[in-house]
Amino acid sequence: MAKVGTWGGPQRALSQAEQQRFLAGRAEFDRDATVAEGLGGPRFNGDSCRACHFGPVVGGAGPRGVNVIRHGFQDPQGRFVPPSVGTVLHRMTLIRDSVNRPQKEATIYEHRQTPHLFGLGLIEAIPAETILAAADPKDSNGDGISGRPSWVDGGRLGRFGWKAQVPSVAEFVRDAITTELGMTLPWSMEHTFGRVHDNDTVPDPEFGATRMNNLGFYLSMLGAPPRTETEDKAQVATGEQAFMTVGCGSCHTPKFQSPLGPVRLYSDLLLHEILPAQSLGIEEAGANVREFRTPPLWGIARTAPYLHSGAADTLDQAIRMHDGESLGVRGAYEALPAATRSALLSFLRSL
């Protein structure tokens, strides 16, 4: 098992029993599901969690090749309408002589890049009131930044996913098992994500409670990525100052306090409009078509490509592709002397 403080290691020292459970959950994450046990249902994006989350280690991000496409369309009033088949265009299907065809009225298509899963339990430990205190939906301070919380079913605060559409690690697991693997789950009074029935011949639930809980424990305990030590320390310090001066820290908040200690994630976990005006996109949970949750920057040095679509190969490209609320910050970055911009990128590569 990887050590605490390393890529793929737990967030803290584990007891012997916890180590066994962590390894059992990692094995579930790495395990190839089969059609005989319910994989597909009949559409799916991969045969394991690891099929998409593997860079630079198991539990990490994925390349563009495993991107998922979302789709939808606008009604005559310009409102987003989800297709009757759902917004996800799955990458694979078990239906013979079939492809995952988009609904014929669809006019909007959006790539979703596979994010890494490090530090999910640390994010979940941040008190909701701490996140909400940073929200400024009406931009009352006039800085052009108006972070907004995402509310999901049951009035719960969304924390995970590109649209902050998932409220907890447990719901993240349930959503992934159904959406990505196409498998059914045990019914739960506490949880609303995931499907409990499908119409294949495999008895439901196809993914049992013990397996699901072990997987959830693994993801909750998966630690944040360690800082990278290959960058010049003086450059990193200069770049960190520039990062805050130009305003990147307005959304990419360096840290939050939690009962587990400081969580240095470089995100406010709020929704921000970062696409150009009039952009088309996918509406989901509490997020409009132009809004995305501020992604944590920890691990960014080794989890390219960047942005929700994976459209940016480099960190410089990712910054220059920010728009909407971040247009002023982008302009400030572009106006920096070349040496200072280089230092800012060195800082990002140290995360």
Side-chain angles (χ1 to χ4, degrees), residues 27-59:
E28 288 294 346
F29 193 93
D30 201 32
R31 181 176 182 268
D32 293 333
T34 67
V35 175
E37 61 187 359
L39 174 71
R43 294 180 169 86
F44 61 110
N45 288 322
D47 60 3
S48 69
C49 304
R50 178 255 309 132
C52 295
H53 297 275
F54 56 83
V57 298
V58 171

Side-chain angles (χ1 to χ4, degrees), residues 143-203:
D143 66 353
I145 306 297
S146 53
R148 198 167 66 82
S150 174
W151 299 106
V152 302
D153 289 348
R156 294 173 293 174
L157 178 65
R159 298 169 184 257
F160 305 112
W162 284 110
K163 294 282 193 177
Q165 72 271 20
V166 183
S168 67
V169 174
E171 294 284 42
F172 183 90
V173 169
R174 293 181 66 89
D175 183 58
I177 291 170
T178 285
T179 304
E180 311 302 334
L181 300 179
M183 300 179 74
T184 56
L185 298 155
W187 179 84
S188 171
M189 183 179 294
E190 301 174 33
H191 305 106
T192 62
F193 284 65
R195 189 168 63 241
V196 297
H197 297 295
D198 60 16
N199 58 2
D200 62 21
T201 59
V202 180

Side-chain angles (χ1 to χ4, degrees), residues 17-144:
E18 288 175 329
Q19 287 182 35
Q20 293 175 350
R21 194 175 178 196
F22 183 85
L23 291 173
R26 188 191 185 284
E28 288 294 346
F29 193 93
D30 201 32
R31 181 176 182 268
D32 293 333
T34 67
V35 175
E37 61 187 359
L39 174 71
R43 294 180 169 86
F44 61 110
N45 288 322
D47 60 3
S48 69
C49 304
R50 178 255 309 132
C52 295
H53 297 275
F54 56 83
V57 298
V58 171
R64 290 192 190 95
V66 295
N67 275 13
V68 173
I69 297 176
R70 298 293 188 102
H71 75 312
F73 56 96
Q74 286 182 313
D75 67 13
Q77 289 72 45
R79 295 171 298 199
F80 175 81
V81 179
S84 59
V85 297
T87 64
V88 178
L89 280 176
H90 287 93
R91 299 174 60 237
M92 288 166 273
T93 179
L94 299 176
I95 301 175
R96 182 177 296 179
D97 300 325
S98 174
V99 295
N100 292 327
R101 299 186 187 279
Q103 189 162 323
K104 64 180 181 180
E105 297 91 349
T107 55
I108 303 169
Y109 295 86
E110 181 179 270
H111 276 258
R112 292 282 179 88
Q113 197 261 341
T114 302
H116 72 69
L117 304 179
F118 306 118
L120 297 191
L122 296 173
I123 292 173
E124 187 170 50
I126 299 169
E129 56 268 24
T130 301
I131 299 171
L132 295 175
D136 186 16
K138 297 182 179 179
D139 189 21
S140 58
N141 62 6
D143 66 353

